[in-house]
Amino acid sequence: MNGSRQEEFRAYVAERRPVLLRAATQLTSDRAEAEDLLQAALAKTYLAWDRIRDRGAVDGYVRRAMVNTQISWWRRQKLDVYPTEQLPDRPVADDHTDQTEMRDALSRALQRLPERQRLTVMLRYYEDMSEREIAQILGVSVGTVKSTVSRAITKLRNDEALLP
């Protein structure tokens, strides 16, 4: 790119940067990410500057570059998250008091469940038994175990004593 075109590009960026940064912020909802996104889009625009004949269309070109770049970043980020069958281990809390209070609250909430729901939750989550194993122990169907656990978990989630 020759000197006059570089100056033309610099002038464009100096003039339109605030407007383009607002558009980038709308795409990312984060000021730092928006600045990175705008910088990447301007780099792409700089490389294509000689090919852009209509200078009135430059804003559209930069916005399209921002959208395409943001989509690429989302896709790349999405590949970094993989669903698994097991939940990750919870980080160890530094404060023993918080752990004790949470255990106490959970214990009280479990005590408020009807006996069958409490038993199925204990076997499922504390003893790590499968639904089939629980069904055999209790002499009920697997579907009954599933619905009982589901109802119990719903009650526990709605239990105000567990809320911080």
Side-chain angles (χ1 to χ4, degrees), residues 1 9 12-13 20 38-52 55 57-66:
M1 191 182 291
F9 182 76
Y12 168 77
V13 171
L20 295 171
L38 179 57
Q39 188 67 29
L42 288 173
K44 290 177 182 181
T45 305
Y46 179 79
L47 294 173
W49 191 254
D50 290 334
R51 294 190 315 260
I52 303 172
R55 294 298 184 224
V58 176
D59 276 4
Y61 186 93
V62 174
R63 290 173 199 269
R64 184 78 252 173
M66 284 192 296

Side-chain angles (χ1 to χ4, degrees), residues 13 17 21 36 44 55 70 96 108-109 114 126 134 145:
V13 171
R17 185 180 183 283
L21 185 57
D36 290 344
K44 290 177 182 181
R55 294 298 184 224
Q70 182 66 21
H96 180 70
R108 286 190 305 272
Y126 282 84
I134 297 169
V145 171

Side-chain angles (χ1 to χ4, degrees), residues 2-54:
N2 64 27
S4 67
R5 295 218 186 238
Q6 283 181 342
E7 288 305 315
E8 186 182 4
F9 182 76
R10 281 190 188 124
Y12 168 77
V13 171
E15 178 185 339
R16 300 300 296 163
R17 185 180 183 283
V19 172
L20 295 171
L21 185 57
R22 280 194 299 273
T25 304
Q26 290 295 316
L27 286 171
T28 63
S29 299
D30 179 71
R31 175 72 177 207
E33 280 186 44
E35 290 174 358
D36 290 344
L37 179 62
L38 179 57
Q39 188 67 29
L42 288 173
K44 290 177 182 181
T45 305
Y46 179 79
L47 294 173
W49 191 254
D50 290 334
R51 294 190 315 260
I52 303 172
R53 302 279 182 236
D54 181 8

Side-chain angles (χ1 to χ4, degrees), residues 39-132:
Q39 188 67 29
L42 288 173
K44 290 177 182 181
T45 305
Y46 179 79
L47 294 173
W49 191 254
D50 290 334
R51 294 190 315 260
I52 303 172
R53 302 279 182 236
D54 181 8
R55 294 298 184 224
V58 176
D59 276 4
Y61 186 93
V62 174
R63 290 173 199 269
R64 184 78 252 173
M66 284 192 296
V67 168
N68 291 344
T69 302
Q70 182 66 21
I71 289 170
S72 294
W73 290 354
W74 284 335
R75 287 179 180 154
R76 197 172 310 128
Q77 182 182 20
K78 200 162 100 174
L79 293 176
D80 292 340
V81 178
Y82 300 101
T84 64
E85 290 292 323
Q86 297 178 348
L87 293 175
D89 291 337
R90 288 184 54 194
V92 177
D94 293 329
D95 187 8
H96 180 70
T97 305
D98 287 343
Q99 290 179 341
T100 303
E101 287 176 6
M102 181 55 90
R103 271 193 226 111
D104 289 345
L106 182 58
S107 178
R108 286 190 305 272
L110 285 170
Q111 290 302 316
R112 285 192 290 274
L113 289 175
E115 186 177 340
R116 179 173 284 207
Q117 287 181 1
R118 183 173 54 249
L119 182 58
T120 55
V121 167
M122 297 296 287
L123 292 173
R124 181 73 178 109
Y125 296 105
Y126 282 84
E127 298 297 324
D128 200 27
M129 291 184 169
S130 70
E131 292 158 344
R132 185 177 309 275

